Amino acid sequence: MNRMILYKEWLKTRWFLLAAFLVLAAGTFYMGLSLSKTVQFNGADKLWEVLVSKETVLLETLKYLPLAVGGLLAVVQFFPETARKRLKLTLHLPYPQGRMMAMMYGYGLAALTILFLLQATVLTVSLRHYFVTELVVRIMVTAAVWYLAGYAAYIWVAAVCLEPTWRMRVVVIVLLAALVRLLFLSGVPESYNGILPWLVLYVLCGQVLIFHSVARFKEGLQD
Amino acid sequence: MKKIGKIFIGLSLALLVLWLVPWVYRIVTLESYSTPFTLYSCVVHDFTSLDRSDARNFRFIDRKGNVYGDEVQPLFYHSILASKGAFPDSLEGIPVTEEMVEHNSVILSAEPKEFNVKKAPVYLLMESVPVRLELHDPEDAFVVRKNGLAVYRMADNTLLEEKTGRFNAALSAEGFRFPANLVAGKPSHHKEYDEGYLLTDAEGKLFHLKQVDGEPVVRHFPAADSLDLRQILITEFTNRATLGYLVDRDNRLHMLRPDGTVIPTEVRYDPAREDLLVVGDLFYYTVKTSDADGEHFFALRSDDFSLVDRMDRPYDFEEEVNLCKYVFPCRLSFTSSDDGWVKPRFSDFSWIGLVVDLLVAVFIIAWRWRRKNTNN
């Protein structure tokens, strides 16, 4: 049954995952090209100078990509469940409902993790070519918040898709907007170092929103 | 799970309201506030402030209410006075020329945000004595690591092992204990000369490191050994009167002379909380520190940095009616103009807001309980 659920999720998301992979790859390639051209025309020492003296980590062009990928994956995966009333059928399968939902969004989180890890690895390797470890760590720790925004978007948008009433949908959307605002509040490198573990915990706790929406769906609440 | 979801949403909304509503209120009710530019005058020997009510005519007012023109600050407005032929021949009994004035003009400013951020442990290494005299962009950088500095050539990200060895050996020979702690420098070619870096070692001792002809030049300042330093500012002024400013744990500002002597001043400056502005001339330094409560001015003699005069100017804006404190127990914000951190900051605690919120909560619980019982 587990394999069947995963296969169902794969069928729903495979084209989107391919598109997301291509978009992330294109973004990463563009970033790499941009870096190499800057080095070619201005020298790597200019980039070092910018990294050390300015409030930038050079990758700002990519900062909203994980957010978009996370949010859209949730739409692709969960919107058909409610729009075509499949969720009612899914929840009536002879399988524990909680586990079913955990499998579904666990699949999504795993897919996002693979995509994000791939991009972060390629970026780290590329950056390591130009910069010392200390600067690369600084860049990637700063970028960790952007990836966290991707997970947050996935979880909150999934909850919005599964939520049966518009009133609660608006509440969850408002919370997501505030969370995204918080995650992109500062452009100062490493400014989230202290709060990052708490934000990770908060985003992980956000998974209860998915179960909350499903429970309300099961109760038959609707507009 | 539904109950946990409700609690999660409720808590999140409560935090959101504590964050956004006071923020919006502040944005709506915010009014600009500025203070007049103030300098110590070597003519009237008093602090004179620019009269903002007559900004077009550049009038200055001293603490007694006397009004002056540009001539009260002849060293700061020397170009204007010279263009009018009004620049004095002598001041404080000493003949002065415009060249002397320009040579001894000093301006330095610092904000808490410069220090309250996570900095990369990477420092650009300039050549302090360039062959063609003009400073040029650094080619190497050193990275502060636990067991020493590591010097890299930035162009190809290569560790220069031999140079690294020479720098670490030079530091060790002067008694430097790794790792480096505070490191202060201005690696930019937009200055007249380069003094490299002032840095403290693991024991808090102060050292000077610069690169001359590609070689490390290191110097220990024993005079600063007794100071528990919390911040260093390198100066690199034209007149080379100081090498840097040192701030100890008691927030006392010390002047570090190029010869290694350390002169304590009466200035108290908390780099984590206060802005600093130093405007110096041939005779006096006006040092301004400012925090959330007001501004503090110190006039120091330029030769020995002894205190001549001081003035405190608390902000005189009226406390506005803060309606939020009647509604919320506190205010939540995540950023501050004083640092670069994003973290939860609860402020403006209000007992009134707490009581009001508790009463509202009790009312809602009672209303829901009553409604539930009525339905049953």
Side-chain angles (χ1 to χ4, degrees):
Chain A
M1 189 66 174
N2 291 350
R3 287 178 61 189
M4 297 304 289
I5 294 168
L6 292 177
Y7 184 63
K8 175 173 76 82
E9 297 308 307
W10 166 248
L11 288 179
K12 273 193 293 184
T13 59
R14 57 189 170 165
W15 293 113
F16 173 78
L17 289 177
L18 178 65
F21 173 79
L22 291 175
V23 168
L24 288 174
T28 312
F29 176 74
Y30 168 77
M31 210 59 247
L33 192 67
S34 170
L35 277 179
S36 80
K37 286 294 164 196
T38 309
V39 169
Q40 189 182 337
F41 293 122
N42 299 317
D45 38 359
K46 280 283 170 217
L47 286 180
W48 281 58
E49 198 179 325
V50 168
L51 269 179
V52 169
S53 58
K54 310 273 186 216
E55 288 183 355
T56 177
V57 290
L58 304 174
L59 304 184
E60 278 77 4
T61 320
L62 304 179
K63 70 195 291 187
Y64 297 111
L65 269 185
L67 178 77
V69 168
L72 288 174
L73 177 62
V75 172
V76 168
Q77 206 182 338
F78 292 103
F79 182 69
E81 295 286 344
T82 43
R84 296 180 195 172
K85 305 286 181 194
R86 281 190 211 148
L87 187 62
K88 196 176 269 183
L89 187 67
T90 305
L91 295 176
H92 278 91
L93 289 173
Y95 195 77
Q97 291 167 359
R99 203 166 156 195
M100 171 85 76
M101 291 313 301
M103 286 285 286
M104 286 169 72
Y105 79 75
Y107 165 87
L109 290 177
L112 280 184
T113 304
I114 291 168
L115 287 173
F116 292 167
L117 269 180
L118 273 174
Q119 189 191 34
T121 307
V122 173
L123 282 172
T124 305
V125 171
S126 313
L127 291 167
R128 190 67 193 84
H129 180 67
Y130 299 113
F131 307 115
V132 282
T133 310
E134 285 81 356
L135 288 178
V136 176
V137 168
R138 180 176 173 81
I139 295 169
M140 296 315 294
V141 166
T142 305
V145 183
W146 310 339
Y147 290 116
L148 184 63
Y151 288 110
Y154 175 77
I155 292 169
W156 262 253
V157 172
V160 170
C161 290
L162 295 169
E163 167 59 41
T165 68
W166 267 107
R167 201 177 65 169
M168 188 54 75
R169 267 186 209 139
V170 169
V171 171
V172 179
I173 288 170
V174 167
L175 288 181
L176 173 61
L179 181 57
V180 170
R181 169 78 185 130
L182 175 59
L183 292 171
F184 292 99
L185 200 55
S186 169
V188 179
E190 298 196 72
S191 52
Y192 288 83
N193 283 11
I195 198 179
L196 191 57
W198 298 104
L199 286 173
V200 170
L201 188 68
Y202 180 78
V203 170
L204 288 177
C205 287
Q207 292 172 65
V208 298
L209 290 173
I210 294 176
F211 291 100
H212 178 256
S213 295
V214 171
R216 288 166 57 82
F217 182 87
K218 272 167 57 187
E219 279 179 12
L221 292 172
Q222 55 186 323
D223 288 319
Chain B
M1 193 56 86
K2 196 183 162 193
K3 205 163 201 169
I4 296 172
K6 269 186 178 174
I7 293 169
F8 182 81
I9 290 170
L11 285 175
S12 300
L13 283 175
L15 289 173
L16 182 61
V17 168
L18 283 180
W19 176 26
L20 287 189
V21 177
W23 175 72
V24 171
Y25 182 80
R26 278 173 77 96
I27 294 285
V28 171
T29 60
L30 199 65
E31 285 184 17
S32 68
Y33 181 82
S34 64
T35 54
F37 178 59
T38 301
L39 283 179
Y40 189 76
S41 165
C42 63
V43 175
V44 296
H45 296 103
D46 194 1
F47 289 101
T48 59
S49 304
L50 195 61
D51 181 8
R52 288 179 300 164
S53 64
D54 190 10
R56 288 181 64 187
N57 291 321
F58 269 81
R59 298 189 324 156
F60 291 87
I61 303 175
D62 67 13
R63 281 182 285 184
K64 298 179 198 81
N66 300 316
V67 180
Y68 308 94
D70 291 332
E71 71 282 354
V72 78
Q73 292 294 350
L75 300 179
F76 194 79
Y77 295 106
H78 64 92
S79 304
I80 295 168
L81 290 174
S83 70
K84 295 176 184 169
F87 185 72
D89 296 330
S90 67
L91 285 164
E92 303 248 320
I94 298 172
V96 290
T97 61
E98 272 206 88
E99 289 72 31
M100 285 169 70
V101 174
E102 278 173 15
H103 183 72
N104 287 286
S105 285
V106 161
I107 293 184
L108 181 141
S109 65
E111 294 179 339
K113 204 166 187 172
E114 293 173 31
F115 310 115
N116 299 333
V117 287
K118 170 89 171 151
K119 288 182 180 163
V122 179
Y123 302 89
L124 309 182
L125 194 55
M126 294 191 78
E127 171 56 52
S128 296
V129 186
V131 182
R132 305 288 296 173
L133 297 177
E134 204 170 274
L135 292 173
H136 50 78
D137 288 334
E139 294 172 359
D140 300 337
F142 67 85
V143 183
V144 171
R145 288 185 177 146
K146 203 176 173 183
N147 53 353
L149 307 185
V151 183
Y152 280 81
R153 184 168 56 227
M154 292 185 283
D156 54 6
N157 190 25
T158 304
L159 175 66
L160 303 171
E161 291 188 16
E162 199 215 346
K163 196 168 187 176
T164 296
R166 277 187 279 134
F167 269 70
N168 286 331
L171 282 162
S172 297
E174 277 288 304
F176 193 95
R177 299 277 176 271
F178 295 108
N181 188 6
L182 297 170
V183 183
K186 287 183 195 166
S188 161
H189 60 256
H190 300 294
K191 57 187 181 184
E192 288 185 28
Y193 64 97
D194 175 65
E195 281 293 353
Y197 289 90
L198 287 172
L199 62 170
T200 58
D201 70 357
E203 294 173 356
K205 290 179 179 169
L206 183 66
F207 292 81
H208 183 203
L209 167 69
K210 61 180 179 179
Q211 179 177 230
V212 176
D213 294 332
E215 296 298 321
V217 174
V218 181
R219 187 175 166 204
H220 172 219
F221 296 113
D225 282 355
S226 58
L227 300 178
D228 187 6
L229 296 178
R230 68 177 296 197
Q231 203 52 257
I232 305 170
L233 296 105
I234 201 155
T235 48
E236 293 170 340
F237 297 140
T238 306
N239 64 4
R240 297 179 191 249
T242 54
L243 190 56
Y245 295 165
L246 314 173
V247 185
D248 67 18
R249 292 279 165 200
D250 296 326
N251 296 330
R252 181 187 280 252
L253 187 72
H254 303 259
M255 304 299 192
L256 175 67
R257 292 281 201 193
D259 63 5
T261 53
V262 175
I263 304 171
T265 71
E266 294 300 316
V267 177
R268 292 293 187 278
Y269 160 55
D270 181 353
R273 287 180 52 245
E274 294 178 311
D275 288 347
L276 174 75
L277 176 66
V278 180
V279 181
D281 58 40
L282 200 53
F283 302 109
Y284 299 103
Y285 277 37
T286 304
V287 181
K288 181 181 87 170
T289 61
S290 46
D291 55 22
D293 301 321
E295 297 176 331
H296 313 283
F297 294 89
F298 303 84
L300 309 178
R301 286 185 61 85
S302 296
D303 49 5
D304 60 2
F305 300 108
S306 58
L307 184 71
V308 178
D309 201 350
R310 70 166 290 173
M311 176 177 84
D312 295 315
R313 182 160 59 204
Y315 298 134
D316 60 0
F317 53 75
E318 285 181 18
E319 190 70 34
E320 287 179 11
V321 180
N322 184 2
L323 292 178
C324 287
K325 77 175 183 182
Y326 299 105
V327 183
F328 303 114
C330 61
R331 188 166 75 88
L332 171 64
S333 58
F334 288 95
T335 53
S336 162
S337 57
D338 283 348
D339 63 51
W341 301 110
V342 176
K343 60 182 181 182
R345 304 153 201 264
F346 293 93
S347 56
D348 297 348
F349 183 78
S350 163
W351 284 106
I352 302 170
L354 183 66
V355 170
V356 168
D357 285 2
L358 284 174
L359 285 175
V360 170
V362 168
F363 175 78
I364 290 172
I365 291 167
W367 177 70
R368 293 190 69 165
W369 180 78
R370 195 176 161 196
R371 200 174 69 163
K372 197 175 171 185
N373 282 354
T374 310
N375 289 344
N376 288 339

